[in-house]
């Protein structure tokens, strides 16, 4: 069957549609209809589980055991989404591949709509803000058309604006290393990074979180079983002076010390540990000493490469303690 179709509807419930499709799907692929249809789709309102979509339009190709959506766009979660989709429904293999651009999506509602993506380490209760992302996502589906988590492969370039971390346990644990006693509500203006998912593990390359109270560099991994390992890098001076101290002499401003503090956060949602990251600290010191060694070598080369040596001046003779004119005193 070859056809060109235009379908418009005011409402579609995807769960009901998939159930009907599954109940009526012929089991033998040899007896199923050989379909090749070009489809223009316009839906005013669409519901899929907890996801609510409006103003959906799409251009698709329906084939035997496959749906190819060449282009779609819709409004949802206070933002807009565009992209493409490929869905294959074979007797022994069901796959879904999505490329999408999400613009100004409410991250709290996103986590609610997808049941916190099957994890409880960081949930909708911990997040506020708006995310913009380019994402590539591929997964296998079970016979009920639900995602098989261990099959997920994904890459996402994300930017979160006006973000907020609320009652996030790792941040609250961090407070014992700082003068900031309450890190239950951390605000940040912008956060950008590239996130990878493979083999049931979320991989987070190093990124900088610039919050109202302080800034830190973070990298690590987090698997779907809830086991995680995060490396944190903070400036000690910024932490110790995050809130200006007021004394009888006035306000004490933060100093410019660049001493770094390296921390390692490991554990699960029920049991986490925050400790000094000695391995990262050692590597940092090793790199710093290597740089200082090269600097010193350069200074020595310049110093000993001079043709003429400057004559050293003799130290002035030390005066007696009671004789301060023209001399100096050591206390």
């Amino acid at each position: 069957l070859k056809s060109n179709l235009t379908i418009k509807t005011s409402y579609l419930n995807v769960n009901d549609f998939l159930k009907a499709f599954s109940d009526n799907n012929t089991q033998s692929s040899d007896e199923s209809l050989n379909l090749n249809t070009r489809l223009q789709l316009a839906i005013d309102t669409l519901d899929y589980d907890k996801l609510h979509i409006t103003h959906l339009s799409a251009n698709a190709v329906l084939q035997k055991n496959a749906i190819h959506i060449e282009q779609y766009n819709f409004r949802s979660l206070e933002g807009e989404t565009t992209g493409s989709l490929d869905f294959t429904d074979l007797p022994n293999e069901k796959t879904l591949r999505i490329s999408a651009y999400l613009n100004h999506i409410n991250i709290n509602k996103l986590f609610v709509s997808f049941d916190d993506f099957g994890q409880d380490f960081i949930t909708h209760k911990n997040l506020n803000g708006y995310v913009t992302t380019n994402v590539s996502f591929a997964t296998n589906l079970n016979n009920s058309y639900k995602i098989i988590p261990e099959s997920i492969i994904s890459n996402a370039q994300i930017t979160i604006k006006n973000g907020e971390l609320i009652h996030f346990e790792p941040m609250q644990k961090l407070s014992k290393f700082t003068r900031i006693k309450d890190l239950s509500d951390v605000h940040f203006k912008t956060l950008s990074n590239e996130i990878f998912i493979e083999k049931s593990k979320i991989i987070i390359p190093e990124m900088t979180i610039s919050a109202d109270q302080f800034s830190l560099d973070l990298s690590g991994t987090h698997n779907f079983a809830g086991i995680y390992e995060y490396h944190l890098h903070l400036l000690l001076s910024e932490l110790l002076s995050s809130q200006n101290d007021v004394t009888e002499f006035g306000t004490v401003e933060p100093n410019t010390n660049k001493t770094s503090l390296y921390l390692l956060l490991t554990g699960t949602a029920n049991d986490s540990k925050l400790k000094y990251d000695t391995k990262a600290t050692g590597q940092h010191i090793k790199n710093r000493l290597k740089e200082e060694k090269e600097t010193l070598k350069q200074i020595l080369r310049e110093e000993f490469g001079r043709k003429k040596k400057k004559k050293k001046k003799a130290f002035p003779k030390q005066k007696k303690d009671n004789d301060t004119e023209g001399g100096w005193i050591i206390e």
Side-chain angles (χ1 to χ4, degrees):
L1 176 65
K2 295 183 179 180
S3 60
N4 292 317
L5 299 178
T6 298
I7 298 178
K8 297 181 179 180
T9 180
S10 60
Y11 178 73
L12 175 66
N13 188 304
V14 176
N15 293 318
D16 293 342
F17 177 81
L18 289 177
K19 184 178 184 303
F21 181 78
S22 178
D23 291 343
N24 292 281
N25 190 26
T26 307
Q27 294 298 316
S28 174
S29 60
D30 293 333
E31 297 177 4
S32 63
L33 183 66
N34 189 0
L35 184 68
N36 192 329
T37 298
R38 297 199 66 87
L39 172 67
Q40 289 184 326
L41 187 65
I43 302 175
D44 294 337
T45 303
L46 179 146
D47 285 327
Y48 176 58
D49 288 339
K50 297 179 182 179
L51 182 62
H52 182 72
I53 290 173
T54 62
H55 302 91
L56 170 65
S57 63
N59 295 322
V61 176
L62 308 183
Q63 295 178 323
K64 180 181 178 179
N65 301 319
I67 299 174
H68 307 283
I69 300 180
E70 300 168 342
Q71 182 180 5
Y72 65 84
N73 58 78
F74 59 82
R75 294 191 58 82
S76 181
L77 309 172
E78 301 182 26
E80 297 181 358
T81 299
T82 61
S84 60
L85 179 149
D86 287 296
F87 169 65
T88 303
D89 184 16
L90 298 175
N92 298 322
E93 183 181 14
K94 294 174 172 53
T95 61
L96 177 66
R97 290 179 172 82
I98 299 174
S99 295
Y101 173 70
L102 287 70
N103 184 31
H104 198 69
I105 299 297
N106 185 309
I107 195 169
N108 177 273
K109 293 183 178 180
L110 177 66
F111 271 65
V112 169
S113 298
F114 289 93
D115 293 321
D116 296 318
F117 299 95
Q119 52 83 41
D120 56 7
F121 174 68
I122 183 167
T123 71
H124 65 279
K125 297 178 181 179
N126 307 122
L127 290 169
N128 275 326
Y130 290 86
V131 60
T132 296
T133 177
N134 265 315
V135 59
S136 299
F137 178 89
T139 184
N140 293 334
L141 307 175
N142 61 24
N143 291 330
S144 299
Y145 300 99
K146 300 294 184 181
I147 289 174
I148 301 174
E150 56 269 23
S151 69
I152 293 175
I153 299 176
S154 181
N155 168 228
Q157 297 174 335
I158 66 170
T159 298
I160 301 175
K161 292 187 176 181
N162 299 321
E164 186 177 8
L165 281 173
I166 307 165
H167 299 298
F168 187 46
E169 184 181 358
M171 283 297 173
Q172 297 185 57
K173 281 183 174 290
L174 187 62
S175 64
K176 74 177 183 179
F177 286 87
T178 76
R179 278 183 160 178
I180 309 171
K181 297 305 179 185
D182 185 11
L183 288 177
S184 60
D185 193 353
V186 176
H187 296 255
F188 55 90
K189 291 183 179 179
T190 303
L191 184 153
S192 298
N193 201 8
E194 188 170 14
I195 308 297
F196 302 89
I197 300 176
E198 186 181 16
K199 297 179 180 178
S200 301
K201 182 183 289 186
I202 303 170
I203 303 169
I204 304 174
E206 186 170 88
M207 63 179 175
T208 299
I209 301 176
S210 297
D212 291 344
Q213 295 94 328
F214 62 92
S215 63
L216 63 87
D217 296 327
L218 180 147
S219 62
T221 60
H222 192 125
N223 66 29
F224 288 0
I227 302 172
Y228 56 84
E229 177 180 300
Y230 289 104
H231 299 268
L232 310 176
H233 169 214
L234 312 94
L235 288 180
L236 188 61
S237 59
E238 191 172 84
L239 292 178
L240 295 180
S241 302
S242 294
Q243 293 175 332
N244 292 340
D245 295 324
V246 178
T247 70
E248 59 181 315
F249 303 106
T251 301
V252 179
E253 296 293 340
N255 60 49
T256 58
N257 193 321
K258 296 300 180 181
T259 302
S260 294
L261 179 64
Y262 293 86
L263 301 175
L264 179 64
L265 176 65
T266 59
T268 65
N270 299 322
D271 182 24
S272 60
K273 295 180 181 178
L274 185 64
K275 61 183 181 180
Y276 293 106
D277 193 346
T278 53
K279 184 176 180 180
T281 303
Q283 185 62 39
H284 171 73
I285 293 174
K286 183 178 179 181
N287 293 338
R288 180 172 56 80
L289 290 177
K290 183 177 179 180
E291 293 175 0
E292 291 181 354
K293 182 183 74 172
E294 294 301 321
T295 302
L296 180 59
K297 283 171 128 183
Q298 181 62 29
I299 293 173
L300 291 174
R301 281 195 293 267
E302 292 176 357
E303 181 67 23
F304 286 93
R306 296 175 182 175
K307 295 181 179 180
K308 295 181 180 180
K309 294 182 180 181
K310 294 182 179 180
K311 187 177 180 180
K312 295 183 178 179
K313 295 182 180 180
F315 284 103
K317 292 182 179 181
Q318 183 176 350
K319 302 279 186 177
K320 293 182 180 180
D321 289 352
N322 59 357
D323 186 3
T324 59
E325 292 183 5
W328 43 273
I329 297 174
I330 296 177
E331 294 185 355

